[in-house]
Amino acid sequence: MPRKEQGWVTFQISEEERKILEEFCENSQRTKTEILRELIRGLNKYSSVPTSLSTSKETVNNNTPELEFASSKKPLKVSSRNVLKGIIKRVTTGTINTEITLEIVHKVELTSIITKVSAEELELFAGTEAYAVIKSNDIVIAKD
């Protein structure tokens, strides 16, 4: 089966763009495919196609991953190297804690137990986007 029918996309970029992408991947410890998929998935936020997508030099040159939240101009900086965007599939609320399950990619889910208060403050509901922030052996939930 040809690559095009399998979902492959091939395109050319300049040497400068390639270096930016490779440096970003190295700093965030993520693959080019992961970065490009996240950018493409983010396009559905726009009612029309944006005229340009830019990556700030601060994000590219900084060793700390950044999550940019719609409610603030400043990106949230986290020391964790693994930040995975997903869709909340289940929220199971207990007396003290809440179990949050994120689907990162089709049929790949991560579950984290956080406090009930944190889940309420972050307004975590099934069907909304959130991030799994993985530090050492813990998974922390973040939201735009």
Side-chain angles (χ1 to χ4, degrees):
M1 181 179 293
R3 285 184 168 190
K4 191 174 186 179
E5 292 176 20
Q6 293 177 342
W8 286 77
V9 175
T10 304
F11 62 98
Q12 291 184 330
I13 58 175
S14 70
E15 184 67 21
E16 180 182 347
E17 291 168 331
R18 186 189 57 78
K19 285 179 182 178
I20 290 169
L21 179 60
E22 287 177 352
E23 187 175 340
F24 187 87
C25 291
E26 184 178 319
N27 289 340
S28 64
Q29 296 181 347
R30 294 162 58 199
T31 66
K32 293 174 193 170
T33 299
E34 290 172 322
I35 300 301
L36 294 172
R37 278 187 180 140
E38 185 173 326
L39 286 170
I40 291 168
R41 288 177 184 148
L43 293 176
N44 67 6
K45 295 179 186 175
Y46 302 96
S47 58
S48 62
V49 178
T51 54
S52 68
L53 292 174
S54 62
T55 304
S56 72
K57 291 191 185 293
E58 181 181 8
T59 302
V60 172
N61 295 329
N62 191 336
N63 286 333
T64 304
E66 296 181 358
L67 300 174
E68 192 156 331
F69 291 87
S71 60
S72 68
K73 299 274 185 203
K74 282 180 89 174
L76 171 68
K77 291 185 179 186
V78 294
S79 62
S80 302
R81 290 284 162 238
N82 299 302
V83 179
L84 305 171
K85 188 175 186 178
I87 301 294
I88 298 173
K89 287 297 177 185
R90 283 183 301 284
V91 177
T92 307
T93 304
T95 308
I96 297 171
N97 293 324
T98 298
E99 187 176 282
I100 306 292
T101 300
L102 286 179
E103 183 177 58
I104 305 304
V105 293
H106 184 64
K107 295 188 178 182
V108 176
E109 295 181 348
L110 294 174
T111 301
S112 178
I113 297 173
I114 62 175
T115 64
K116 182 178 177 181
V117 171
S118 292
E120 290 169 355
E121 287 177 356
L122 291 170
E123 299 177 347
L124 300 175
F125 302 104
T128 60
E129 288 184 349
Y131 297 87
V133 182
I134 303 170
K135 175 83 173 173
S136 184
N137 61 349
D138 294 327
I139 297 174
V140 180
I141 302 295
K143 183 181 176 198
D144 279 332

